[in-house]
Amino acid sequence: MNTTTTRPSHPQPVRPSHPRTRSVPARRISLIDRIALHVGVALVQWSRRSTVAVQHDRRAMRVSQELAREQRERAMQRMMLLTLIPR
């Protein structure tokens, strides 16, 4: 006859009916501490801001300046070809 027992091989831990730690009431944070925290977080966020947008604006400005210069050169060359006497 093959039977298995459902008894655990080790005893279960006994849990106390009341916790041993006592609860501590939450302390209120003063207004000055909250302001200091907000200022500190704002400074950290500001120092870690991305400079990608600034570099993108500069790159876009350089590209537009280069395109404008090439357009001026083409216009000047076209005007010279139209106004000069053919050789």
Side-chain angles (χ1 to χ4, degrees):
M1 186 171 179
N2 292 334
T3 60
T4 58
T5 60
T6 58
R7 265 191 298 175
S9 60
H10 55 82
Q12 293 291 328
V14 178
R15 296 185 187 208
S17 61
H18 58 84
R20 300 219 174 196
T21 60
R22 57 189 165 110
S23 63
V24 178
R27 293 188 310 177
R28 301 295 286 173
I29 299 174
S30 69
L31 179 64
I32 294 174
D33 289 336
R34 280 187 272 160
I35 291 172
L37 178 65
H38 284 287
V39 169
V41 169
L43 285 173
V44 168
Q45 287 177 343
W46 180 80
S47 69
R48 293 185 178 187
R49 70 190 183 282
S50 175
T51 58
V52 174
V54 174
Q55 292 175 357
H56 177 73
D57 291 343
R58 290 179 184 169
R59 190 177 315 124
M61 181 64 78
R62 278 197 309 264
V63 168
S64 65
Q65 288 174 348
E66 182 68 23
L67 289 174
R69 185 184 63 78
E70 289 176 359
Q71 187 177 8
R72 284 192 308 270
E73 287 178 358
R74 280 195 306 270
M76 189 183 306
Q77 189 177 25
R78 183 175 184 271
M79 186 179 6
M80 283 179 27
L81 288 173
L82 290 175
T83 58
L84 289 178
I85 300 170
R87 292 185 180 188

